[in-house]
Amino acid sequence: MAEGLVPYDVAVARMERDVEAIAAGLAPERIWLLEHPPLYTAGTSAKAQDLVEPDRFPVFQSGRGGQYTYHGPGQRVAYVMLDLRRRGSDVRAFVAGLEGWIIDTLAAFNVKGERREDRVGVWVRRGAREDKIAAIGIRVRKWVSFHGISLNVSPDLSHFSGIVPCGVSEHGVTSLADLGINASMQDVDRALQTSFKRVFG
């Protein structure tokens, strides 16, 4: 777990090294919980027109799956470096596990997170509409996962307006704070750690 705001390029460089070491059997699996300064990342499916305000924050090509997403203060990013060879070598099941991890974590705050068949991430119903509360974007190399999830705890939601988040324009974004839940990052981390053990063992 990192303190303060971790520069994106620093985190990715460290992740790259650790993934190679895990794949070679030279390092244990690991999960990092951190926050980034405000930035946008472009996944491998990102479309240029979805970067609405290209000069607003730094933009990084991430190499993970998915489209554009935002990271910033008040958002818990979890980078998940697991050896999928120990988990059936099933990427689809791993993504479903990440969704389940987020849903189980949200339940600790009495928030009902839901999956959607046609779009990745975790969603919250709000009357007639639904908003995204967590994003998922992974990459797998030599059967070791990296990148991971981002859960909106209390970020500035206006920062999402500089992109079309994950290419989905017909739905909004939300956070625990936006839902009226006053949870600290430490509260969320405890829930993530407890839920991870339940979902992944």
Side-chain angles (χ1 to χ4, degrees), residues 54-189:
D55 300 322
R56 186 169 185 182
F57 297 126
V59 180
F60 294 90
Q61 302 297 317
S62 72
R64 58 159 174 78
Q67 302 186 41
Y68 279 105
T69 194
Y70 166 76
H71 294 315
Q75 182 190 71
R76 176 51 86 213
V77 173
Y79 287 132
V80 183
M81 289 158 274
L82 298 182
D83 187 344
L84 301 188
R85 293 168 296 192
R86 296 169 53 183
R87 295 171 170 79
S89 301
D90 189 333
V91 175
R92 217 181 243 288
F94 175 60
V95 172
L98 293 176
E99 290 174 335
W101 180 28
I102 297 165
I103 289 168
D104 195 64
T105 298
L106 291 172
F109 301 97
N110 296 311
V111 173
K112 183 177 166 81
E114 299 179 354
R115 293 179 172 92
R116 291 292 174 266
E117 290 300 319
D118 59 338
R119 50 191 192 271
V120 177
V122 175
W123 301 80
V124 176
R125 290 182 188 270
R126 308 185 74 184
R129 73 181 220 219
E130 55 187 39
D131 292 337
K132 191 172 195 174
I133 194 166
I136 297 172
I138 66 160
R139 189 171 179 184
V140 176
R141 180 183 296 157
K142 298 178 183 176
W143 287 110
V144 177
S145 67
F146 58 122
H147 297 280
I149 69 169
S150 56
L151 174 60
N152 296 331
V153 180
S154 58
D156 183 339
L157 294 179
S158 71
H159 289 177
F160 284 89
S161 65
I163 56 171
V164 178
C166 301
V168 178
S169 58
E170 61 270 29
H171 301 287
V173 290
T174 190
S175 66
L176 289 175
D178 186 49
L179 295 172
I181 296 164
N182 184 23
S184 69
M185 202 63 80
Q186 292 72 29
D187 294 334
V188 171
D189 288 347

